[in-house]
Amino acid sequence: MNLTDILAQAGGIESMANQLGIPPAMAKQGADALLPAILGGFKKQAQGGGGLEGLGGLLGQLGGGGLLDSVLGSAPTPVEQGNDVLGQIFGSKDVSRSVAGQAAEQTGIDSGILKQMLPILAMMAAGYMAKQGGQGGESGGGLSGGLGGMLGNVLGGAMGGGAAPSAGGLGGLGK
């Protein structure tokens, strides 16, 4: 099961679709196209910034499991938090625009809608990873095992080795 399916089961894809005023099928298609780049950004963070412990700390600083809860809640999603997540994993708005542009070419969905999806998806992915890593708000042990295993599963491979995907690396990562 890929992360899009997991987020759909949690209600995140439908919540995002409702917020953006688009059909859930379009939201899922957009998520399928955008999530590999988002997850690649998290993987790059883990490889370059203190490993899994550093990534776990970053997820906690950004809002931890509460990020996913914010998207799933009934109030509008505070996308500023999602933009903070994107800033950490991509480094610049240019990378976000590039990711949205490539996903638009891949899916036929308007890049403006995909740009709106990016911060929401980033929040869902970060919140989900934080919850899987035991960062639901309390400081807990087992972060590196839970987070490493989850990232490995989601990215379809081990955390170590290999070149980090480029900003436009949408191909083949989360399937």
Side-chain angles (χ1 to χ4, degrees):
M1 179 180 303
N2 69 22
L3 185 57
T4 308
D5 295 334
I6 293 167
L7 294 176
Q9 282 183 347
I13 300 296
E14 188 171 332
S15 178
M16 179 175 67
N18 290 340
Q19 184 168 335
L20 298 176
I22 60 174
M26 182 187 285
K28 183 177 185 325
Q29 185 183 17
D32 280 335
L34 293 170
L35 276 170
I38 291 169
L39 295 172
F42 282 118
K43 183 177 181 182
K44 201 162 65 174
Q45 283 292 315
Q47 289 173 333
L52 293 171
E53 295 297 327
L55 180 59
L58 174 65
L59 292 173
Q61 287 172 5
L62 292 169
L67 291 168
L68 178 59
D69 298 336
S70 293
V71 175
L72 297 176
S74 56
T77 301
V79 291
E80 312 80 51
Q81 289 179 292
N83 286 324
D84 290 345
V85 174
L86 290 171
Q88 287 293 324
I89 62 172
F90 289 161
S92 78
K93 289 184 187 278
D94 292 339
V95 176
S96 293
R97 287 186 199 105
S98 169
V99 166
Q102 286 189 353
E105 288 176 24
Q106 186 181 338
T107 62
I109 297 172
D110 181 84
S111 67
I113 290 173
L114 293 165
K115 285 178 195 166
Q116 290 178 299
M117 280 185 184
L118 265 172
I120 299 170
L121 281 167
M123 288 175 67
M124 284 193 281
Y128 177 76
M129 284 192 285
K131 285 178 182 271
Q132 292 301 303
Q135 291 281 291
E138 74 287 342
S139 61
L143 173 67
S144 60
L147 187 59
M150 197 285 303
L151 254 183
N153 288 341
V154 168
L155 294 172
M159 283 297 296
S166 67
L170 291 175
L173 272 175
K175 298 280 181 199

